[in-house]
Amino acid sequence: MSDLTRLPEVGPFREVVIDLPALRANVTHLRSQMGVAHTMVVVKANAYGHGMVRCAQAALEAGADWLGVADIGEALRLREAGITAPVLAWLHAPAEDFVSAVAANVTVGITSSAKLEAVAKAGAAHAGGARVHLKVDTGLSRNGFAPAEWPSVFARAVELQASGAIVVEGIFSHLSNTSEADDNAQQVEFERAVALAREAGLSPEILHLSSSLTAMTNASMRYDMVRIGIAAYGLSPQDDRSSESWGLRPVMTVRARVSAVRRVPAGTGVSYDYTYRTATESTLALIPIGYGEGVPRTASDTAPVEINGDRYRISGRVAMDQFLVDVGDAPLALGDEVVLFGDPLRGEPSAADWAAACGTIAYDIVTGIGGRLTPVFVE
């Protein structure tokens, strides 16, 4: 794992630090456990808020051989950055034009008959056709071909493949992670879909079902490829289990400098609505980050922060640009370092701590980070 004591001194007055060696170490660690032919690292939504291009490059350097994104726009940004590795994009507009994706050699996840015909039209005009992965709905009920559609869809895919318009490279689905029994039921449906596809004459090279949690806990569901998302960024896919227990290190640290210090008497109202009042004469620290940078307003009065190595709690409402912290009688100066969340092994609050305080999940916390924060990529 990376030596996170070597993070640079806080530079701009508010920043998000992305530890790329930690990401590489996480991917290497996870790949060593998987034992499958292919590892996809999912970099959608700006790599869960971590910086899509830099994180994609780091994941590939660590041995990942596929990248996953939600939409074609994200895939094309990777191509524009010079990334040539296989990329799967699986969420498309109702009238998506697949020409740009096919031309850029982006593999397209197909979830409906209309999209299958549209991508085949684009593929027919391109040497080698369009590479596609067919998504089957096995119980998540979001998108993908419903079971009643499987026979006709697979038959049509055989025809389109024979014409040279498409190459059915893979079949995939997504688990709900509701319970072991629910996931097992979805796996049964997935294998039924694959069997029907093969009976129809398809020979998909890559079957994939598991994202981070199932990939880490159930070898029977790994198939030919696993899709690693939140775990690559060093966060636990389970609310009741820490990242360090999985051998992972958080990649993101959000920090700032104290931008104002004020000594106030007991009973002073703090921020909007006075949801917090000082119990005694206290020192208030102003932190120049707010919901404009993705700090949830639900962090008001609840989320932990670290200032000069000591743990405090946000005091009062989070505003668009700032929040306050009551540090009592602790010594405080302008420019002192504040860590919102980072690596708990350094004693810092974690994204999971913030998620618990805000009544959400760590995915939500890190993906929302951005706005005016200065990104600092640590190599």
Side-chain angles (χ1 to χ4, degrees), residues 76-378:
L76 295 179
R77 285 196 288 277
L78 293 174
R79 292 289 186 251
E80 290 164 2
I83 293 172
T84 59
V87 178
L88 176 65
W90 52 71
L91 190 63
H92 314 297
E96 189 76 63
D97 181 355
F98 293 100
V99 172
S100 60
V102 174
N105 196 30
V106 173
T107 302
V108 180
I110 297 298
T111 59
S112 73
S113 294
K115 292 182 175 65
L116 179 61
E117 297 298 333
V119 78
K121 181 179 179 180
H126 185 79
R131 304 188 73 82
V132 304
H133 289 205
L134 303 177
K135 185 175 184 182
V136 292
D137 180 12
T138 56
L140 193 57
S141 305
R142 294 197 306 198
N143 60 14
F145 295 103
E149 300 177 278
W150 294 346
S152 60
V153 166
F154 296 149
R156 181 57 177 156
V158 169
E159 293 174 353
L160 293 170
Q161 183 164 264
S163 74
I166 66 170
V167 176
V168 180
E169 183 180 48
I171 295 177
F172 71 114
S173 190
H174 201 317
L175 297 168
S176 73
N177 294 142
T178 302
S179 68
E180 183 178 354
D182 286 302
D183 285 354
N184 288 341
Q186 283 195 250
Q187 184 182 25
V188 169
E189 283 294 277
F190 181 67
E191 294 190 348
R192 186 169 73 87
V194 171
L196 288 172
R198 287 174 171 156
E199 288 174 11
L202 297 175
S203 300
E205 299 173 12
I206 302 177
L207 306 178
H208 49 114
L209 179 63
S210 292
S211 54
S212 291
L213 178 59
T214 314
M216 294 159 69
T217 58
N218 192 326
S220 74
M221 295 187 184
R222 292 172 186 160
Y223 295 98
D224 304 297
M225 180 164 70
V226 292
R227 304 185 301 264
I228 302 299
I230 198 70
Y233 307 102
L235 300 177
S236 174
Q238 283 184 313
D239 293 340
D240 59 353
R241 185 167 174 181
S242 67
S243 56
E244 55 265 37
S245 74
W246 295 106
L248 304 172
R249 294 292 292 273
V251 174
M252 178 186 289
T253 299
V254 178
R255 61 188 187 175
R257 289 186 181 275
V258 174
S259 64
V261 177
R262 177 171 297 183
R263 190 73 177 170
V264 298
T268 297
V270 177
S271 194
Y272 293 118
D273 302 324
Y274 288 176
T275 61
Y276 182 89
R277 294 178 186 268
T278 56
T280 62
E281 182 181 355
S282 297
T283 298
L284 297 178
L286 182 68
I287 317 303
I289 299 181
Y291 53 77
E293 286 68 52
V295 174
R297 194 166 182 266
T298 51
S300 302
D301 292 312
T302 61
V305 298
E306 180 187 276
I307 304 177
N308 294 332
D310 293 322
R311 186 77 63 98
Y312 300 98
R313 190 176 66 183
I314 291 176
S315 305
R317 294 279 194 220
V318 172
M320 185 179 295
D321 316 302
Q322 57 205 283
F323 62 81
L324 289 156
V325 178
D326 182 348
V327 301
D329 295 323
L332 192 68
L334 290 176
D336 283 351
E337 181 173 327
V338 182
V339 176
L340 280 69
F341 59 84
D343 189 346
L345 293 184
R346 291 196 300 261
E348 298 162 353
S350 67
D353 293 333
W354 270 64
C358 297
T360 185
I361 56 177
Y363 301 67
D364 184 24
I365 297 297
V366 295
T367 302
I369 290 297
R372 293 160 293 190
L373 290 174
T374 300
V376 177
F377 292 94
V378 176

Side-chain angles (χ1 to χ4, degrees), residues 10-100:
V10 62
F13 69 100
R14 53 188 176 198
E15 63 187 17
V16 54
V17 182
I18 305 301
D19 186 351
L20 295 175
L23 188 149
R24 294 187 190 98
N26 291 334
V27 173
T28 299
H29 172 64
L30 292 164
R31 287 187 64 245
S32 72
Q33 298 180 340
M34 295 297 106
V36 295
H38 304 286
T39 302
M40 174 187 289
V41 170
V42 180
V43 294
K44 65 181 180 177
N46 196 31
Y48 294 46
H50 292 69
M52 181 174 67
V53 171
R54 296 293 294 274
C55 288
Q57 292 166 336
L60 294 170
E61 290 162 2
D65 60 339
W66 275 80
L67 298 170
V69 296
D71 59 49
I72 290 170
E74 291 176 324
L76 295 179
R77 285 196 288 277
L78 293 174
R79 292 289 186 251
E80 290 164 2
I83 293 172
T84 59
V87 178
L88 176 65
W90 52 71
L91 190 63
H92 314 297
E96 189 76 63
D97 181 355
F98 293 100
V99 172
S100 60

